[in-house]
Amino acid sequence: MSDVKISGLALHYVGNQANDEPFVLSPKLFALDEEMNALLTDYFIGSFKSEERFMFHDDIDLGMNRVYRLVSDIFDNPDMLYDFSVDIATYLYENCSHPKIKGGDFYVVHFTGCGVGPEPCDAIGLFKIENKDLFLTVEHDEGGFDMSTVEGVSLKKLDKGCLIYNYEREKGYYVAVVDKTNNSEAAYWIDDFLHVLRRQDAYFQTENMMTICRNYLAEQLPQDFEVCRADQVDLLNKSFNFFKKQPKFEMEQFQQQVIGQPQVIEKFNDYRQKYQDERQYELDETFDLNPSAVKKQARAFKSVIKLDKNFHVYIHGNRELMEQGEDAHGKFYKIYYKEES
């Protein structure tokens, strides 16, 4: 990030037109000294933690996506950043019609030296800050101490952001998004204003294939076959370990090593196809696995058996060290081990 710098910044205020809030345009670009440039660069760029990436989209033609078109104009004419920032802010104001959308400061920022693709490129950032925090200030002199409060922006969180890299323009650019929208709000930032879709990259492929596998093994498998909870958890463990240890996902290899039985493989493929058809995408049979997506999905692969309200049994390894049975006292698991701690 040391090579990334802000080369231009426009700041406007975009209120909620449905609530008769103001729409205020600044008269010119905001001047930044070197210290403020570095501070805001770290704040804006550092807010994008996830590797999830998007692209601009339009149902008819990509060129009809308003933000895509205006961002392209800035890339082609960076000296006209202010003029195009006014157009973008106006379009955002037009989309702030839901009564629960908060007004906020809207930044349109041009960055240089961003690292994506084979060469460094410039990027456009669109940021909307809707929430302010209350900070305590303490001053002291010979007469003692004085405390007061001041309202300001916390540099540890960003409400809404979009970072558009000048890369793969013909595909809708390489776009990162932050949206801290409350569930009660309309999804205006991603759907109405930006109108972006997920890029079907390695992160997307990994995340969705793991979701399919987890959902089938945890939810659909017991409906298709008689399977005990221990065997089900064992399959979930094998599935997660496959994603964790393999650099590349290969469908046939996964089916043979994890699922094994032909009749279960057939049912799994039916479920996988139905899942994709409902969401209108097709995952590849082979793709590179993304470690960040695997890590994010880890919590969904639960390896625990809950026995009434008395015990939780966590299975992390060899399924053959467990036996299941039933006697006069009830159902039981027998567990073999060498050491306890």
Side-chain angles (χ1 to χ4, degrees):
M1 193 186 294
S2 58
D3 295 330
V4 182
K5 290 185 178 180
I6 295 173
S7 63
L9 183 150
L11 172 59
H12 309 292
Y13 182 85
V14 178
N16 185 321
Q17 62 173 328
N19 297 332
D20 295 324
E21 293 178 355
F23 174 46
V24 184
L25 296 172
S26 62
K28 59 183 179 180
L29 293 180
F30 198 88
L32 299 174
D33 59 28
E34 188 172 336
E35 182 180 0
M36 184 61 70
N37 192 309
L39 186 68
L40 287 179
T41 297
D42 288 343
Y43 169 51
F44 288 136
I45 301 295
S47 296
F48 297 88
K49 308 293 186 183
S50 172
E51 292 184 29
E52 184 179 34
R53 293 295 178 262
F54 297 78
M55 59 186 178
F56 286 111
H57 166 75
D58 187 85
D59 295 332
I60 300 174
D61 181 78
L62 181 59
M64 296 180 68
N65 183 302
R66 185 87 172 270
V67 177
Y68 170 83
R69 190 169 67 250
L70 289 169
V71 165
S72 297
D73 288 338
I74 297 176
F75 283 136
D76 294 337
N77 306 278
D79 57 326
M80 295 183 65
L81 171 65
Y82 173 79
D83 301 88
F84 293 125
S85 77
V86 171
D87 294 334
I88 295 174
T90 302
Y91 181 59
L92 176 59
Y93 186 64
E94 292 170 359
N95 280 279
C96 289
S97 57
H98 191 283
K100 291 189 177 180
I101 293 175
K102 296 179 180 179
D105 300 324
F106 180 59
Y107 298 75
V108 180
V109 187
H110 183 247
F111 297 95
T112 59
C114 297
V116 65
E119 300 290 338
C121 67
D122 53 344
I124 302 298
L126 309 177
F127 310 101
K128 185 161 179 259
I129 299 175
E130 300 173 337
N131 296 294
K132 302 289 180 69
D133 291 329
L134 202 60
F135 297 93
L136 178 69
T137 63
V138 179
E139 297 180 1
H140 61 89
D141 53 27
E142 293 180 357
F145 291 84
D146 182 54
M147 290 190 295
S148 61
T149 58
V150 60
E151 189 179 57
V153 175
S154 170
L155 297 183
K156 293 183 179 180
K157 57 184 178 182
L158 177 67
D159 296 319
K160 289 175 176 59
C162 175
L163 191 61
I164 306 114
Y165 295 92
N166 193 6
Y167 178 69
E168 295 189 345
R169 177 186 293 201
E170 69 284 355
K171 296 182 180 180
Y173 290 117
Y174 190 79
V175 182
V177 176
V178 169
D179 186 4
K180 303 299 184 183
T181 300
N182 295 325
N183 293 331
S184 60
E185 292 181 21
Y188 77 96
W189 182 255
I190 291 178
D191 297 333
D192 301 331
F193 173 58
L194 297 174
H195 203 53
V196 291
L197 294 176
R198 288 282 303 275
R199 289 175 66 98
Q200 295 190 19
D201 51 15
Y203 189 99
F204 177 90
Q205 299 268 354
T206 303
E207 180 182 59
N208 282 277
M209 187 60 74
M210 290 186 74
T211 298
I212 290 173
C213 295
R214 182 267 167 201
N215 287 356
Y216 178 76
L217 295 175
E219 300 170 9
Q220 186 61 38
L221 178 64
Q223 299 180 37
D224 292 340
F225 302 95
E226 268 193 37
V227 57
C228 70
R229 180 61 180 155
D231 289 337
Q232 188 183 12
V233 169
D234 184 51
L235 284 172
L236 283 166
N237 281 338
K238 287 180 179 178
S239 177
F240 177 73
N241 287 331
F242 183 92
F243 286 103
K244 185 178 179 180
K245 295 177 181 179
Q246 298 292 334
K248 184 185 290 289
F249 180 86
E250 295 183 3
M251 181 59 68
E252 185 175 354
Q253 182 187 20
F254 173 81
Q255 291 174 344
Q256 298 302 321
Q257 290 186 11
V258 176
I259 301 177
Q261 301 179 47
Q263 63 271 31
V264 181
I265 292 175
E266 182 180 354
K267 289 290 187 179
F268 169 74
N269 285 335
D270 291 342
Y271 179 87
R272 176 168 59 99
Q273 192 59 55
K274 181 182 178 182
Y275 186 96
Q276 293 175 110
D277 291 343
E278 289 174 350
R279 288 154 183 80
Q280 298 183 337
Y281 61 68
E282 192 76 25
L283 299 178
D284 296 335
E285 296 279 316
T286 301
F287 55 86
D288 292 331
L289 287 167
N290 182 284
S292 295
V294 173
K295 185 177 179 180
K296 180 182 177 182
Q297 289 289 311
R299 65 177 70 96
F301 286 74
K302 296 179 180 178
S303 57
V304 58
I305 301 175
K306 297 180 181 180
L307 306 176
D308 299 329
K309 295 183 179 180
N310 299 314
F311 306 102
H312 285 182
V313 180
Y314 292 86
I315 304 175
H316 302 296
N318 191 349
R319 166 66 177 89
E320 295 179 358
L321 296 178
M322 290 188 67
E323 291 181 9
Q324 188 175 13
E326 188 172 357
D327 60 19
H329 298 287
K331 298 177 182 178
F332 65 84
Y333 278 104
K334 185 184 292 184
I335 301 173
Y336 296 91
Y337 65 93
K338 291 183 179 180
E339 297 178 0
E340 64 178 342
S341 60

